[in-house]
Amino acid sequence: MTTTTGTNSYYLSHPTSLPNAICLGSGRFLRSVLVPALNAGGFRTTILQTRGTSFLEYLENRCNDEETSWNYEVDTVESDGSVQTEFVPCCGAGSMGTVEHKDAALTWLAEQRNNPIRVIGVGVTEAGLASGSKSMKDLVDLLGVCFRVDPSGAVSVINTDNVPLNGDVISSIVHELLLTGELETEFVEFVQSHVTFHNSMVDRITSQREGSNGLVPRCEPVPAKALVIEDLHGVLPKEFHELKKYGVVVRSSSGQLSVDIALKLRVANGTHTAIAHVMALNGLLMTDALSESVEENKHSGILMRYLDSIFMDQIWVAAKSCFGDDVDADAVYQDWRKRLTHPYFGLSTFFITQNGAAKGGIRISPTVKDLIKSKKEVSVSVCFSIASILRFLTPASCKHSKDIYVGWLSGTSDAISSTEKNEYSITYADGMCYNLNDGWYEFKCVCPILVEGQRMNLPEALKQFSSKGQPADALDVVAAYLVAKNGGDLADIAKNPETKEQFEDFTSAVATLYSRMVAGDEMLSLLSEMDSQSGCYGAEGFFTSCRSIAAFNTQGECNDGVLPYRESHIPDESRLMDTPCLTTNAVRSVVMEEVAASHFTLLKNQSKQI
């Protein structure tokens, strides 16, 4: 049955296969993960766009050809570069974008009295998960159809948007709409007793086939945890427990999903953020440059050793202290590492850097916080990741407008002569560009911080520091970022007397690396120092404690008031050595560093003579 007007279908339905699952939304993730899994579980799915009719028209065109009838395409890029195209069946398509399309879909679904809906997938973006949004009102109307068809049947609502506790969010919005709308009591009771809004976690990187206008997803191979669903009361259809091949994992115990989400944030998202900024600043535009199987990727080895060290020495240790020794962090990282080094499926590093200030706090700071609280060492590799974010968010000396700033690439001068758009300017997101030929890039950042009693946006504060340049001068702005709620979000350990000292060491180490980056030391050279265990990185390399590179405080002392003898953490060839000391704090700190390093060298030479 197809309801049509002119040449356009209001709702397209399969002549014999009736749906028992609905997808509200037609996004790439929903079509490449949830629908294939539903098919494998024996469900029959109809897809309803929230706006527009592009998917409806796409499917209708395919139905005009017997060979492509009632399916859509999904491309998967395999690790050898081959592309496998899957033809995913569906039994209907429609739109909720206009009154006519919505009425046609709801009317047809309500007529299927012997075919109750058991699953509703929701993929409406974060904006759709808002109180009173049209998408949430559409969901209530779909639940109304479920009620009319089978008032005693159970319905599972599964969200595929990356929003924390997404099921609880949808449940809250739906129940708010139930209370404010003039709805029959029996329907309200049906939603309260028969509808479960499952919390979930989603994770499959998708883009689109070139030239497909977003209608054909282009994906990485299915990860081990592409869709994790919480089912605390055992109401999810039993078929979901047999879909591991499709990346579906069901969590039946309280707290399991929270650990999954935390590990995703710390392991996958955290290392993504840690690597994206240094890659972008060095003109490495796609993450497939991390593949060690491609000979041309000359920096992949050191970059992956850097990431491996962050996981092994920091993320894994912190995860075990927070979630217990049984946490499967290593399995998560190995799965993620394979995905990250896919030689033929990379993501734009500049694209990943968006919202870097907040991502540092959300994705990296939890690891730092757990390490410090458990009295574990924070390593220089994690300090480097935070310093890289700050370096990326440091504006050049040129002007900016409307929260869009201009930064300069590693190895180039911040005295950019021109930021005029030309044939070398490449747009990467929201109209922002990078230009490798001229050595600049644009970025947005709204992160208010408080520095010496003055509230300012983070890039403005970093720009003020860059005119001074010594680590001691950077301490205040680095600390301000690390404690900012929309920044590093580490205020609790900064204020706690038991963790304050270690936080200050961490802050100082970040300031040291950041100052060297701003002074002009190439970021890959800094990683090479750690990797080769040169100078102050001794035998530990990436695993070196942040205390080894923490500058002395502004009084010229270390935190316990005793000046230790130690190897200089600023090598002679660093461009920081050419940066003048313009403040009293900088002079004091540098003098104490030189005294400590000189005594260390003297003692070292004396021990050799003995």
Side-chain angles (χ1 to χ4, degrees):
M1 172 183 176
T2 304
T3 306
T4 63
T5 175
T7 58
N8 296 318
S9 297
Y10 280 145
Y11 180 77
L12 189 67
S13 62
H14 194 283
T16 58
S17 180
L18 302 178
N20 57 5
I22 298 172
C23 284
L24 177 59
S26 59
R28 293 191 297 268
F29 183 89
L30 189 148
R31 284 186 286 127
S32 64
V33 175
L34 182 58
V35 177
L38 288 170
N39 288 339
F43 293 91
R44 303 172 303 279
T45 308
T46 188
I47 298 174
L48 304 177
Q49 279 184 263
T50 55
R51 302 183 301 274
T53 58
S54 57
F55 182 76
L56 172 62
E57 293 164 6
Y58 164 76
L59 188 65
E60 186 172 32
N61 289 333
R62 292 180 66 78
C63 286
N64 292 328
D65 184 335
E66 286 189 16
E67 292 186 5
T68 63
S69 183
W70 298 108
N71 63 59
Y72 61 86
E73 298 169 286
V74 174
D75 290 343
T76 297
V77 184
E78 304 293 348
S79 58
D80 62 359
S82 63
V83 178
Q84 303 297 323
T85 298
E86 180 183 4
F87 298 95
V88 181
C90 65
C91 64
S95 172
M96 308 294 273
T98 70
V99 173
E100 294 83 2
H101 283 90
K102 180 176 177 178
D103 285 348
L106 294 179
T107 299
W108 189 87
L109 290 168
E111 292 173 351
Q112 313 312 308
R113 292 292 180 179
N114 297 318
N115 198 65
I117 301 299
R118 293 296 179 232
V119 177
I120 299 180
V122 179
V124 296
T125 75
E126 188 171 346
L129 300 184
S131 179
S133 73
K134 181 182 180 303
S135 294
M136 292 296 97
K137 293 177 181 177
D138 290 342
L139 176 59
V140 171
D141 291 336
L142 288 172
L143 290 173
V145 169
C146 296
F147 168 67
R148 289 194 292 276
V149 171
D150 185 4
S152 61
V155 179
S156 286
V157 177
I158 301 170
N159 182 244
T160 60
D161 296 300
N162 259 322
V163 174
L165 301 175
N166 46 22
D168 293 345
V169 171
I170 295 176
S171 176
S172 176
I173 296 171
V174 167
H175 283 90
E176 180 182 311
L177 290 170
L178 294 178
L179 292 174
T180 56
E182 296 181 1
L183 303 169
E184 54 188 301
T185 304
E186 291 80 2
F187 171 57
V188 174
E189 292 175 349
F190 165 79
V191 174
Q192 292 173 341
S193 59
H194 289 75
V195 179
T196 302
F197 301 89
H198 297 270
N199 289 318
S200 64
M201 181 190 82
V202 296
D203 187 20
R204 189 185 189 188
I205 301 172
T206 63
S207 59
Q208 59 181 307
R209 180 193 290 178
E210 188 174 351
S212 71
N213 295 318
L215 290 169
V216 180
R218 180 178 183 271
C219 314
E220 65 173 337
V222 178
K225 294 180 182 177
L227 175 60
V228 183
I229 307 170
E230 187 174 59
D231 185 30
L232 301 182
H233 304 293
V235 299
L236 198 66
K238 64 181 186 304
E239 291 86 354
F240 278 85
H241 294 267
E242 308 299 326
L243 300 176
K244 190 173 183 180
K245 175 184 175 182
Y246 295 86
V248 177
V249 177
V250 177
R251 296 303 195 193
S252 56
S253 298
S254 179
Q256 287 181 312
L257 180 64
S258 297
V259 174
D260 289 319
I261 293 172
L263 288 178
K264 179 191 173 186
L265 282 173
R266 296 176 184 220
V267 178
N269 299 153
T271 54
H272 225 190
T273 296
I275 202 67
H277 292 82
V278 61
M279 290 185 73
L281 283 163
N282 282 276
L284 301 171
L285 301 179
M286 302 293 289
T287 55
D288 55 18
L290 295 171
S291 174
E292 296 169 285
S293 64
V294 179
E295 189 174 340
E296 291 79 11
N297 295 344
K298 61 180 180 178
H299 301 300
S300 60
I302 191 169
L303 289 172
M304 287 311 300
R305 288 193 292 276
Y306 156 62
L307 280 193
D308 288 343
S309 72
I310 290 180
F311 171 73
M312 290 186 294
D313 185 52
Q314 302 286 272
I315 296 174
W316 197 3
V317 172
K320 287 193 291 186
S321 70
C322 184
F323 307 115
D325 291 338
D326 294 334
V327 67
D328 61 345
D330 186 54
V332 173
Y333 182 64
Q334 295 308 320
D335 182 63
W336 170 244
R337 195 183 194 281
K338 181 172 62 176
R339 297 164 62 192
L340 188 61
T341 57
H342 193 309
Y344 301 100
F345 192 89
L347 292 180
S348 164
T349 55
F350 275 98
F351 187 87
I352 300 168
T353 62
Q354 293 179 94
N355 302 313
K359 287 177 179 176
I362 295 170
R363 300 176 171 188
I364 299 174
S365 287
T367 291
V368 175
K369 188 178 298 187
D370 285 339
L371 289 169
I372 291 179
K373 284 183 175 180
S374 59
K375 305 299 181 182
K376 303 289 196 308
E377 295 285 355
V378 180
S379 74
V380 294
S381 57
V382 168
C383 298
F384 183 92
S385 69
I386 296 294
S388 298
I389 294 174
L390 296 178
R391 168 62 179 84
F392 187 91
L393 298 176
T394 302
S397 53
C398 55
K399 294 181 180 180
H400 68 275
S401 61
K402 295 181 180 179
D403 296 322
I404 297 180
Y405 301 85
V406 177
W408 76 102
L409 299 176
S410 181
T412 65
S413 170
D414 65 340
I416 299 171
S417 57
S418 173
T419 58
E420 290 293 324
K421 305 290 174 67
N422 55 38
E423 67 269 27
Y424 300 106
S425 303
I426 307 298
T427 301
Y428 70 92
D430 294 336
M432 295 182 292
C433 297
Y434 59 81
N435 188 314
L436 301 188
N437 188 67
D438 295 335
W440 59 264
Y441 58 93
E442 295 174 319
F443 66 91
K444 289 181 182 179
C445 179
V446 179
C447 179
I449 63 173
L450 191 64
V451 184
E452 296 180 347
Q454 182 180 357
R455 186 167 293 278
M456 62 180 72
N457 200 17
L458 175 62
E460 302 289 347
L462 294 171
K463 186 176 181 180
Q464 287 186 11
F465 158 75
S466 64
S467 63
K468 300 174 184 177
Q470 289 292 335
D473 299 316
L475 285 172
D476 287 341
V477 66
V478 171
Y481 163 72
L482 290 175
V483 301
K485 186 64 179 175
N486 294 326
D489 198 24
L490 293 173
D492 54 341
I493 63 169
K495 295 176 181 178
N496 188 333
E498 295 184 2
T499 55
K500 183 173 182 289
E501 180 177 325
Q502 202 170 351
F503 170 79
E504 290 176 349
D505 285 339
F506 173 63
T507 301
S508 183
V510 172
T512 296
L513 292 171
Y514 169 68
S515 301
R516 290 189 61 186
M517 294 174 186
V518 172
D521 288 357
E522 294 195 19
M523 300 172 75
L524 293 174
S525 296
L526 295 180
L527 288 178
S528 181
E529 290 175 19
M530 299 175 190
D531 189 42
S532 62
Q533 302 177 345
S534 64
C536 66
Y537 300 112
E540 295 184 298
F542 286 120
F543 305 103
T544 302
S545 168
C546 67
R547 288 180 298 169
S548 296
I549 61 169
F552 296 121
N553 67 26
T554 56
Q555 283 70 46
E557 302 170 343
C558 62
N559 280 323
D560 59 7
V562 178
L563 180 66
Y565 300 152
R566 69 177 191 187
E567 190 162 2
S568 175
H569 59 294
I570 309 294
D572 292 341
E573 62 273 16
S574 171
R575 293 191 179 182
L576 196 58
M577 302 297 281
D578 299 325
T579 303
C581 297
L582 301 177
T583 65
T584 302
N585 288 340
V587 171
R588 286 174 174 170
S589 181
V590 169
V591 168
M592 292 299 101
E593 291 289 350
E594 290 301 312
V595 171
S598 298
H599 275 280
F600 176 85
T601 302
L602 178 62
L603 292 173
K604 186 176 180 180
N605 291 336
Q606 288 176 346
S607 65
K608 287 182 179 179
Q609 294 174 0
I610 295 174

